[in-house]
Amino acid sequence: MKHWYIQVCCIVGLVISSCLFAHAHVAGIESVHDTVAHVKARLLAELSPEQLLALNEETLPVHLSAEEQQVLGEGHLHFHIDTPAVVYVFCRDSQPAPFWLAARGFEPMEEAITISDKSFKAWNKPFDAGPVGLGVNSLHREGDHYVVAVVPQQAGAKVAITDLYPGQGRVSVLEPGALPYVDDDDTITVCPEVLRQQALIQVSARWRKYGTISGLFTQTRFPSSAKPDQIVLTWSADPQTSQTIQWRTRVAVERGYVKFAKKLDFYSFSPKKPYIIPAQTEKLETVSIVNDPLCHRHTVTIEPLEPNTTYVYSVGDGSEEGWSELTEFTTAPSRVEPFSFIYMGDAQNGLDRWGTLIHNAYRERPDAAFYILAGDLVNRGNERWDWDDFFYNAQGIFDRRPLVPVLGNHECQDGHPTLYLQLFHLLTNGPSQIEAERAYAFHYSNALFVVMDSNQPPEDQAAWLEEQLAGSEATWKFVVHHHPIYSSAPNRDNVEMRDAWLPLYDKYHVDMVLQGHDHAYLRTYPMKNNQIVDSAKEGTIYVVSVSGTKMYKQADREYTALGMTNVATYQVLDIQISGDRLVYRSYDIDGDLRDEIVIEK
């Protein structure tokens, strides 16, 4: 018997399917986007979880109706030609050819082109003057988009290509050095002499995802249940007087609550009754996860609280047996106090191994007040199963110490960090030019922390960044973003970001910039005006760190004070108020000290 949540999902799918069929009957299924949505809903309603998981590029077309195959085989890319021509479709030879090519009479050919170092084999078909429609690149999101050339059937004739859709496409000339994609730097390095100077239709590399159905359905290793899990502390208000708590349950748990009390009151001889407040509960729907398509996310922000105070708390559904185990958090101090925090670069891959690293960090430094993760927390940012792995491997830590997350490029999978913003409730005091919670700032003791979104245009955040730095009297200033000002990996350099932000780091003397992205450890010399200076009193130290298992090579740079490859690390930063000292240490998974510096004001 199917689980109830699969049955609910199927009912939802049937409703969506019926609506789409009704719309299609009236207007005709002309949109690839609508057709893909319809197919997904219908398959959820018609197939078992096992069948959904078994779908692939070869077996999926059997489940498509003739109308669906027509749209997916003709409606993706279309244009008009003014003379009879042969249309060449060049497909990456290491991936399956689009399902519609052979069915529509395209023939495999000897001709091939090379894009960078990738070989693309040709298929072609003659067309009369008039409209030409081509299908989706693939029923799977992976791989490279095909490339199109148009050659007049009559020797010496010219072909005019008009009414090109989608509108991002462009018409160019096929020759070595030509760009096959409008949004990628790859070039055509080899093409047959017979096809040179013929019309090339430049497509978007992103269009490869437009037909994604195969491989969409998956399952999570850690489905939700009635028991609260994925409990994580963040800050969405002042760390001195508030604490935000988020957690997950299965969708049958309709409400959430948090109960809390001061630790001293709770464990006193006359314990006081804890406060109980309701959570905001939102449904998180991921229809592609066949064993857990629906769950509830519960969020509570407790305020006002007392600074520098430890509270015990539990979350649950309000029933006597429905509470999580008691744990605790401590609010930020209202005056200058020494404190420590942990910073990590990309977790991303190998989250079980990363889980060992972060638990080692917690065991060695339980005094650390919070954890900064500088982007790419997961590899597939809009795939919930990857976040389920992340939370599972961090359990027992983020329910005790707040997480300060930073947006990386992998959180912006498919162009927008939708799931990241659903999972974390964060401060909304960022720049007005970008979406709330993507960048934010807070003070802790005598330190300012500014979290930037390096996926967004740096100039849109520069004025706000200056406001934060100029308006703070903090002794220590830290800025955190994913992409590095000074790269460690070869062939990477974020010039626009450096041009926009580095002058502000210099002007307001940011002490350290904590980064990720490049997957090889780097600590720079103190830098100012893009030059090495004598001490950290004069300049800023930039760090690139990686905490997961994905590793890159490292380039030899003049600004590198210490570089390491193939090593996952966590960093502990101790702020000492006696003498205004910062002690920075970097440790590997075995607890061995790999780097250490001391900065004194």
Side-chain angles (χ1 to χ4, degrees):
M1 179 181 293
K2 295 181 180 178
H3 294 296
W4 69 269
Y5 42 77
I6 295 297
Q7 293 174 328
V8 168
C9 192
C10 289
I11 293 170
V12 171
L14 280 169
V15 172
I16 296 172
S17 176
S18 299
C19 293
L20 285 170
F21 265 132
H23 178 268
H25 180 73
V26 173
I29 301 179
E30 297 178 355
S31 163
V32 168
H33 178 272
D34 288 348
T35 300
V36 167
H38 159 257
V39 171
K40 292 175 184 175
R42 182 173 58 76
L43 293 179
L44 278 167
E46 295 177 354
L47 302 183
S48 69
E50 292 75 20
Q51 289 174 310
L52 290 169
L53 292 171
L55 290 174
N56 56 43
E57 192 85 13
E58 289 72 33
T59 61
L60 182 56
V62 176
H63 297 280
L64 300 178
S65 69
E67 186 177 24
E68 290 163 352
Q69 291 198 32
Q70 180 182 7
V71 175
L72 297 176
E74 298 181 25
H76 171 59
L77 172 66
H78 46 90
F79 50 90
H80 187 279
I81 54 177
D82 68 342
T83 189
V86 178
V87 175
Y88 285 79
V89 178
F90 293 94
C91 305
R92 180 82 184 273
D93 61 0
S94 62
Q95 61 194 52
F99 76 93
W100 47 268
L101 279 174
R104 291 190 54 202
F106 281 81
E107 298 285 347
M109 307 300 295
E110 292 291 331
E111 289 88 348
I113 63 173
T114 301
I115 300 175
S116 296
D117 58 348
K118 305 170 185 176
S119 178
F120 286 66
K121 295 293 180 64
W123 295 65
N124 75 10
K125 177 184 176 180
F127 283 82
D128 294 331
V132 176
L134 303 178
V136 295
N137 181 70
S138 167
L139 298 174
H140 199 283
R141 73 168 66 236
E142 306 299 337
D144 296 274
H145 198 285
Y146 60 73
V147 176
V148 180
V150 181
V151 180
Q153 293 184 29
Q154 182 178 348
K158 296 290 185 180
V159 60
I161 298 173
T162 57
D163 299 332
L164 180 58
Y165 180 87
Q168 302 99 313
R170 296 289 183 269
V171 179
S172 184
V173 176
L174 181 59
E175 60 184 353
L179 296 173
Y181 304 111
V182 295
D183 51 359
D184 193 278
D185 293 334
D186 283 351
T187 59
I188 295 174
T189 52
V190 177
C191 68
E193 189 71 34
V194 67
L195 295 179
R196 294 191 182 191
Q197 302 303 308
Q198 300 297 337
L200 168 69
I201 295 181
Q202 295 172 304
V203 297
S204 168
R206 292 180 179 271
W207 294 352
R208 71 182 185 274
K209 302 177 182 179
Y210 281 8
T212 301
I213 302 171
S214 172
L216 175 73
F217 301 105
T218 186
Q219 56 185 335
T220 177
R221 293 196 299 159
F222 309 107
S224 61
S225 68
K227 181 180 178 182
D229 68 354
Q230 299 187 0
I231 305 170
V232 57
L233 306 174
T234 59
W235 286 313
S236 61
D238 188 346
Q240 295 182 25
T241 58
S242 74
Q243 183 63 70
T244 298
I245 309 170
Q246 297 113 133
W247 70 97
R248 179 186 73 158
T249 64
R250 69 184 184 190
V251 76
V253 180
E254 297 180 349
R255 297 178 181 85
Y257 299 88
V258 60
K259 61 180 179 181
F260 68 98
K262 289 183 186 179
K263 187 174 183 178
L264 292 177
D265 290 343
F266 191 82
Y267 290 114
S268 66
F269 287 107
S270 300
K272 295 183 179 180
K273 188 176 181 180
Y275 298 98
I276 298 180
I277 56 176
Q280 178 182 351
T281 297
E282 295 182 352
K283 185 180 296 183
L284 183 59
E285 182 174 6
T286 316
V287 295
S288 60
I289 297 181
V290 297
N291 65 330
D292 194 29
L294 299 173
C295 67
H296 270 154
R297 300 287 305 181
H298 310 275
T299 303
V300 171
T301 297
I302 310 173
E303 58 181 344
L305 299 173
E306 295 181 19
N308 203 25
T309 302
T310 298
Y311 293 84
V312 294
Y313 78 96
S314 179
V315 299
D317 61 6
S319 67
E320 185 174 347
E321 301 297 327
W323 295 99
S324 65
E325 294 182 5
L326 281 175
T327 186
E328 62 186 50
F329 63 82
T330 303
T331 52
S334 59
R335 62 182 185 180
V336 175
E337 298 278 358
F339 74 97
S340 304
F341 68 93
I342 287 174
Y343 142 64
M344 293 181 170
D346 305 33
Q348 188 175 344
N349 297 89
L351 290 174
D352 52 349
R353 182 70 169 167
W354 169 80
T356 300
L357 177 76
I358 196 170
H359 278 88
N360 287 349
Y362 180 77
R363 182 174 59 252
E364 294 298 322
R365 292 302 303 265
D367 59 313
F370 53 89
Y371 285 68
I372 292 176
L373 266 64
D376 285 2
L377 286 67
V378 297
N379 189 48
R380 309 281 304 181
N382 275 347
E383 303 286 355
R384 206 200 80 203
W385 57 264
D386 211 358
W387 287 104
D388 291 348
D389 271 24
F390 172 83
F391 286 119
Y392 175 82
N393 284 289
Q395 62 183 335
I397 298 177
F398 296 147
D399 60 342
R400 293 168 170 82
R401 302 292 182 268
L403 169 63
V404 178
V406 181
L407 270 172
N409 54 295
H410 281 263
E411 278 72 52
C412 299
Q413 176 192 3
D414 297 333
H416 185 265
T418 303
L419 197 48
Y420 171 94
L421 295 174
Q422 291 175 313
L423 294 173
F424 300 117
H425 197 54
L426 305 172
L427 288 154
T428 58
N429 59 354
S432 59
Q433 293 90 337
I434 68 172
E435 190 175 10
E437 300 182 81
R438 296 183 70 136
Y440 55 93
F442 64 94
H443 284 83
Y444 194 100
S445 185
N446 60 347
L448 168 69
F449 295 85
V450 183
V451 174
M452 308 293 287
D453 181 4
S454 56
N455 302 281
Q456 296 292 295
E459 60 273 13
D460 288 351
Q461 303 170 72
W464 175 80
L465 172 62
E466 183 162 21
E467 288 177 7
Q468 304 310 307
L469 296 175
S472 175
E473 297 180 357
T475 303
W476 300 96
K477 294 185 176 73
F478 300 93
V479 179
V480 192
H481 44 75
H482 181 63
H483 299 82
I485 294 287
Y486 294 105
S487 293
S488 63
N491 304 315
R492 284 187 170 181
D493 191 15
N494 302 298
V495 178
E496 291 182 1
M497 191 171 70
R498 186 165 60 247
D499 289 346
W501 296 348
L502 186 142
L504 300 175
Y505 298 162
D506 291 343
K507 181 178 180 180
Y508 298 102
H509 191 204
V510 171
D511 295 285
M512 297 191 79
V513 178
L514 310 177
Q515 309 149 115
H517 190 58
D518 282 355
H519 294 263
Y521 181 89
L522 165 73
R523 174 175 55 81
T524 71
Y525 293 105
M527 304 293 294
K528 187 173 184 179
N529 296 326
N530 213 21
Q531 301 293 325
I532 297 172
V533 294
D534 291 337
S535 73
K537 291 183 178 181
E538 302 173 60
T540 301
I541 292 175
Y542 298 80
V543 180
V544 175
S545 170
V546 55
S547 58
T549 58
K550 179 181 178 181
M551 300 294 174
Y552 290 167
K553 295 180 179 178
Q554 189 170 77
D556 185 16
R557 318 270 190 170
E558 292 183 357
Y559 49 70
T560 303
L562 178 65
M564 296 184 289
T565 57
N566 298 314
V567 57
T569 62
Y570 68 89
Q571 287 63 234
V572 182
L573 289 85
D574 293 305
I575 307 295
Q576 302 173 355
I577 63 174
S578 177
D580 281 339
R581 299 173 78 244
L582 164 62
V583 180
Y584 166 98
R585 299 183 180 94
S586 180
Y587 297 91
D588 64 21
I589 195 169
D590 296 319
D592 294 332
L593 181 64
R594 291 299 195 105
D595 190 17
E596 181 178 17
I597 58 170
V598 177
I599 303 174
E600 295 181 329
K601 289 289 185 181

